[in-house]
Amino acid sequence: MTIDALIFDFDGLLMDTETTLLESWRHEWRQHGLELTEQGFFADHGGDVNEQRYAALAAAVGAGYDRAASHARRTAYRLTLNQKLEPAPGIRQWFAEAAELGLRLAVASSSHENHVRGLLERAGLAADIDVLACGNEVAAHKPDPAVYLLALARLGTERAVAFEDTPHGVAAAQAAGLPCVAIPNPYVPRSRFPAADLILPSAAAARLSEVLSGLPGRTTPRP
C-alpha cells in the first residue's frame, strides 16, 4: 500500500494527557479527604465523560459539594500539569522523518479542538500538522470512525496510516478503512489490542520507515 499521510490520535499518543487528567481528578478527590482509584476511570470510548466523574465525586462527598468550585480547582491544577508536558518519546523524530518522506500529518482526536490545538502549539508541534479533526466537529466519538473520516476528507486522500493508544481508537481507525499502529498508553494492557496491525511500546522503539515497512502489505510512502 502506498500512503500519502499519517493520522495520529492526540491524548495519550502524542502527549501524555491521560496521566494529567487522572492526576487532576486524584488531586480533587484528595481535597475532600478521599482517594480515587484508577480502576474504571478511563472510558472505553472517546468523548468527554467528566460529568459522570463529577457526579461520582459529588456522591462520595455528599451534602455541601460545590461542583463549580471543584471544577475550577481541578481544571486549574490540570493546566499546571499540562504546561509541563512534552511530546511522547520518539514523536519529534517521527515528525521529522515524515517530512523527509514527504508524508502529510493529521490529528484525529475525540477531544475539543481548543484543547488539542493549544497543547500542540505549546509543544511546538502545531506547525507540522497539516490537518486537525476534533471531537467538537463530529456527531459521534471513537470507536465511531467519524473523526477519522473527517481527517481523511480534509487530507483529500484515503491512503493513510493511523496511530492510536486505545482499543476504541484502533477500532475507529480500522472502521475508516485504515491500517492502525497501536502504542498503548500506560493505563491499557497490551493484551487489549489484538486487532491492531502492529503494536509498539513507544514511538522511540523504531524509525518511522521501519514501522511503515513492518505493516501488512508493506506500507510505503508515495514516491
Side-chain angles (χ1 to χ4, degrees), residues 105-119:
L105 302 181
V107 169
S109 172
S110 290
S111 293
H112 195 284
E113 179 183 359
N114 292 343
H115 166 75
V116 176
R117 189 182 296 279
L119 283 173

Side-chain angles (χ1 to χ4, degrees), residues 18-204:
E18 302 288 28
T19 294
T20 65
L21 176 64
L22 175 59
E23 289 305 314
S24 74
W25 278 100
R26 281 178 168 161
H27 176 78
E28 183 54 28
W29 277 63
R30 287 167 184 156
Q31 306 313 300
H32 305 279
L34 301 169
E35 286 294 327
L36 173 66
T37 64
E38 178 188 320
Q39 185 177 6
F41 178 79
F42 292 101
D44 284 331
H45 57 82
D48 190 344
V49 294
N50 279 330
E51 286 308 316
Q52 294 94 308
R53 291 170 178 150
Y54 282 116
L57 178 55
V61 173
Y65 175 70
D66 187 333
R67 198 272 192 203
S70 181
H71 174 71
R73 188 166 50 235
R74 185 191 69 79
T75 53
Y77 183 70
R78 191 185 185 200
L79 181 61
T80 66
L81 298 179
N82 281 346
Q83 290 300 311
K84 302 173 185 177
L85 279 180
E86 291 293 327
I91 290 299
R92 290 194 193 277
Q93 290 81 1
W94 274 13
F95 277 26
E97 191 176 351
E100 293 172 2
L101 295 172
L103 295 171
R104 301 177 71 205
L105 302 181
V107 169
S109 172
S110 290
S111 293
H112 195 284
E113 179 183 359
N114 292 343
H115 166 75
V116 176
R117 189 182 296 279
L119 283 173
L120 287 173
E121 289 177 349
R122 196 203 63 78
L125 295 179
D128 298 319
I129 304 296
D130 297 285
V131 163
L132 278 185
C134 296
N136 58 296
E137 302 180 286
V138 294
H141 298 297
K142 301 171 185 177
D144 190 282
V147 74
Y148 272 104
L149 295 175
L150 178 59
L152 289 169
R154 287 176 173 171
L155 285 166
T157 184
E158 296 180 358
R159 296 187 176 94
V161 172
F163 296 83
E164 278 283 352
D165 69 308
T166 62
H168 57 269
V170 172
Q174 292 179 334
L178 301 175
C180 187
V181 177
I183 303 177
N185 72 52
Y187 309 102
V188 188
R190 184 186 177 107
S191 60
R192 292 190 57 199
F193 292 83
D197 294 279
L198 185 66
I199 305 176
L200 296 174
S202 79

